[in-house]
Amino acid sequence: MSLRFVRLSFSRPTAALSAVLFLVWQLAQFAHAAPVQPVYGGPIPTRNQRGYNLLFLSFEPEAPDVLPAGQRDLALQLDIANNFLIPAVPSGASAVQEDNETQRLTFSLHWGLGHGTEAALFVPVMWRDGGFMDPVINLWHHLWGMSQSYDSTLSRTQVGDFHSVLLDRRPDGTDIVNVGNAFGLCDISATMKQCLIENPSFAAALRLGLKLPTGNPDELLGSGGTDVGADVDMRQNLGRDVSLYFNWSHSWLGKDPAIATARTWWEQGIVAIEYRANRKDSYVLQSDWNSLAVVTGNPWADRQQRTATFGYRRTVNDRLRYNVSFTENGDVFNHSTPWLFEIGPDFTVSFSMSWLR
C-alpha cells in the first residue's frame, strides 16, 4: 500500500518515545497517590475495531463529566478483535478479504485542568496476526446455530484458522491494500474536553481532538496523516440507577492524495444505556456506528459500519475500577438488525483498568 508520511516539526520516534516516557512517569506517581473520590459511569470505552477504522482519529466513548482540577485517571485497555470479512464479488466490484486478529493495547491519561476542562492522551500499540480466537468463534457460532459467517461466501471451517490477511483488490487486479502481520506503535492522539452543561438530570460537553502520524503507514499501523475533529458528549439520567449516553463526532482526515479510496472526513457516534445495580457494579449496552473512512469498492464491505457491545463495570475501591465487554457484528442475527449492528469484526473482547489519583 502506498502511503506517504506527513512531515512534522519533530520526528515520529521522538514524539512516540516522549509520549511513552510521560505515561511511565505518570504510572510511577500513581504508586504514591492518596485516595480520591471515584468517577462513576459512562459508556464502555471501545469502538468498532475493523482494521480501517483504527487508522484515523477516533474519539473514545466517554461521559460528559470531567475530572476535578489536578485529578488524573491512568488507564490500560486491551481490545482483541477477530476480523472475518470475505464477501461475494459482484461484477465490477473489488475483492475484499479481511481475515486476521488484532490485539490493541492502549495507554491513556486523563487530567483535570479545572474550570470544567479535561485533557487526555492516548498511546496505542497493536499486533495484527493470525490470533488465537478462530476455534473459539467456530464454537460460538455453532452454539448460536450459525453454519457460516454471513460476511463470507465460505464458512470459517472451509477457510481455515489463524490467517493474517487484509486485502482490497480492484477488478483490474490492482492491490490497493495487501498486508499481513504487523506489530508496533500506532498513531498517538490527544483530546481536550470542556463541560458545557451539568445538572442532576442532564450534562453535555465538547471535545476537540488531534491525531499525529506516529505509526508506520506501510504496515497499516497508522494513516500517515494528521487528523483533527470535534465531538459532543451528552448524558440524560432516566432515574436514580439508569442513564442514557450519546456521543457524536466529525473528523477531518489527513488524506494522502495517492490513496484514492480514503476519505477526507468521517463521522462516528454511540448510544449507550447504563444500569447501576449498586455502588460497585454497573452494566452497559451500547451501539456504535461510523461512516466509511476507506471505501473498498465492495458493496457488502461498504455497508453500515456498526457494532453492539455489552459491558460490565466494577468499581473496586475509590481509586481502581475496570471494564469487561464483548462486541458483536451483524452475524449474530444474520444481519437482520442493521440499526443495532452490521459490519465490523466478528467478535471483540475488551478489558480495561483505570487508576484515579
Side-chain angles (χ1 to χ4, degrees):
M1 182 177 183
S2 174
L3 287 163
R4 290 180 295 176
F5 180 69
V6 174
R7 296 184 180 272
L8 300 176
S9 59
F10 49 84
S11 69
R12 181 175 67 192
T14 299
L17 180 61
S18 299
V20 171
L21 290 177
F22 178 69
L23 286 179
V24 170
W25 174 72
Q26 285 296 314
L27 182 60
Q29 302 301 307
F30 273 63
H32 306 287
V36 296
Q37 181 66 29
V39 175
Y40 294 98
I44 296 297
T46 190
R47 284 197 180 276
N48 189 325
Q49 298 285 306
R50 188 183 175 201
Y52 297 123
N53 296 336
L54 301 178
L55 297 175
F56 303 99
L57 175 63
S58 180
F59 287 86
E60 177 183 282
E62 290 184 7
D65 310 278
V66 298
L67 295 171
Q71 190 172 107
R72 285 168 286 172
D73 187 352
L74 179 68
L76 299 177
Q77 171 145 337
L78 177 63
D79 297 291
I80 304 175
N82 188 281
N83 296 279
F84 189 70
L85 179 61
I86 313 175
V89 184
S91 177
S94 294
V96 167
Q97 185 173 354
E98 300 175 26
D99 185 5
N100 56 49
E101 197 162 294
T102 58
Q103 301 93 36
R104 184 178 170 96
L105 180 65
T106 302
F107 303 79
S108 65
L109 175 68
H110 291 71
W111 198 321
L113 303 179
H115 305 288
T117 305
E118 178 183 294
L121 176 69
F122 302 89
V123 181
V125 176
M126 189 179 76
W127 299 261
R128 185 176 59 247
D129 49 42
F132 64 92
M133 288 203 297
D134 283 342
V136 177
I137 295 175
N138 285 333
L139 176 61
W140 173 253
H141 284 177
H142 177 74
L143 292 175
W144 277 86
M146 298 167 57
S147 60
Q148 68 174 23
S149 170
Y150 288 81
D151 289 329
S152 174
T153 55
L154 300 172
S155 69
R156 280 180 167 269
T157 55
Q158 291 174 296
V159 173
D161 296 336
F162 313 125
H163 294 165
S164 182
V165 180
L166 181 56
L167 173 71
D168 181 7
R169 178 168 292 157
R170 287 293 181 253
D172 63 2
T174 303
D175 286 348
I176 302 299
V177 176
N178 189 355
V179 294
N181 289 357
F183 167 74
L185 180 73
C186 300
D187 288 352
I188 293 174
S189 61
T191 62
M192 186 73 71
K193 178 162 65 173
Q194 178 64 51
C195 183
L196 303 176
I197 303 172
E198 187 170 18
N199 59 53
S201 62
F202 179 78
L206 173 68
R207 275 187 286 168
L208 301 179
L210 170 69
K211 191 215 70 174
L212 300 176
T214 53
N216 185 345
D218 294 327
E219 295 184 345
L220 249 63
L221 295 172
S223 69
T226 301
D227 305 341
V228 296
D231 169 89
V232 174
D233 306 321
M234 292 189 288
R235 183 192 69 241
Q236 177 67 56
N237 293 333
L238 304 180
R240 186 183 65 178
D241 302 320
V242 180
S243 295
L244 182 67
Y245 300 92
F246 172 78
N247 293 171
W248 177 85
S249 66
H250 184 102
S251 297
W252 292 266
L253 312 179
K255 175 179 166 57
D256 189 314
I259 311 172
T261 58
R263 301 183 65 188
T264 56
W265 61 270
W266 76 334
E267 293 178 327
Q268 294 180 293
I270 69 107
V271 176
I273 187 166
E274 177 186 26
Y275 168 63
R276 292 176 290 279
N278 51 57
R279 290 185 66 252
K280 291 184 175 291
D281 303 297
S282 61
Y283 302 88
V284 180
L285 179 63
Q286 72 188 45
S287 177
D288 74 271
W289 63 270
N290 60 264
S291 58
L292 290 170
V294 174
V295 180
T296 69
N298 184 284
W300 182 271
D302 292 343
R303 287 162 64 115
Q304 176 69 64
Q305 310 292 293
R306 186 184 291 270
T307 56
T309 297
F310 176 75
Y312 165 71
R313 176 178 292 114
R314 174 72 174 179
T315 301
V316 179
N317 53 44
D318 60 358
R319 289 175 55 186
L320 175 65
R321 64 191 187 279
Y322 64 83
N323 301 301
V324 180
S325 67
F326 72 91
T327 303
E328 270 280 6
N329 72 347
D331 275 352
V332 69
F333 289 141
N334 304 339
H335 290 273
S336 62
T337 55
W339 53 271
L340 181 60
F341 33 32
E342 186 70 340
I343 300 300
D346 260 20
F347 196 83
T348 305
V349 291
S350 302
F351 177 78
S352 65
M353 297 186 68
S354 61
W355 297 265
L356 285 167
R357 183 188 179 192

